[in-house]
Amino acid sequence: MKTKSWMTIGVVIASFILASCQSTPKNTMIDKQVYVPPKVLIEPLADTDNDGVPDIIDNCPNTPKDVVTDEYGCPVAVNLIGPLMMEIRVFFERHSNDLQTKYLIEVEKVAEKMHSDPELVVVLSGHTSEPEAVQIVVDINGEMNQVEADKRQLGRERAQIIKSALVKRNIARDKIYMFDCADNMPIAPNDTEEGMSMNQRIYGKALKADDFYTGSDHEQSLTYYKEFCQQF
């Protein structure tokens, strides 16, 4: 009996030792949480007005659709009507032929275009508003009457002013054609101040001499101007 008791104790001890050996070993390493930075989606640079210039460098962020812009997103001044013609428009105060400083840049552009192509000529047409074409006179009875003024004088003077400005920029006189159109070709009604101001103008263009002489485009030809205006 004593022998069996010792055997039982030995089996218990052996089982305990075996169970201890099969237990999961304790992890002695310190768990460390690895920092993983969040993923950031990098989108293309925004271009709110779709002019091809990113907003971050766009100095003119609200450019209208289909407007040509420079590298900073601002509209490029384009005076070219086509590859072979350039327009100039200059407006005058009532009864005045004084060339305002702000229009000198227009003259400069035409002169530059002329220097770039020896086959170009400049066509200048002087225009007046309807009120400029009449004069108010007071008769001996003190009544006011309208009489026609020298309708061609002011338009002629305006064209001459622009011609002189171009000649000062080394444009040959024989490449400048002038027409006095008086009030025969209004571009706006003369019944408002704004309309009258639009008609007090010089309209000019630099274009190929052959096109002007042959009249390939009637509205830009010598014949067209002679229908409404007086050449001088």
Side-chain angles (χ1 to χ4, degrees), residues 31-62:
D31 292 335
K32 294 183 179 180
Q33 184 178 0
V34 179
Y35 174 74
V36 179
K39 293 183 178 180
V40 178
L41 295 178
I42 301 177
E43 299 179 356
L45 292 176
D47 180 12
T48 304
D49 53 9
N50 296 313
D51 61 356
V53 180
D55 290 348
I56 193 172
I57 60 170
D58 196 335
N59 291 337
C60 302
N62 297 312

Side-chain angles (χ1 to χ4, degrees), residues 134-157:
V134 298
Q135 290 178 338
I136 303 297
V137 297
V138 180
D139 62 19
I140 57 176
N141 296 319
E143 296 181 355
M144 299 180 65
N145 297 293
Q146 283 189 345
V147 297
E148 284 196 0
D150 182 357
K151 297 176 69 172
R152 302 195 179 278
Q153 180 178 357
L154 189 55
R156 182 184 299 255
E157 292 173 353

Side-chain angles (χ1 to χ4, degrees), residues 186-202:
I187 59 175
N190 281 289
D191 54 359
T192 66
E193 286 294 331
E194 182 180 5
M196 289 183 286
S197 295
M198 293 291 290
N199 293 327
Q200 295 157 193
R201 73 192 191 280
I202 284 292

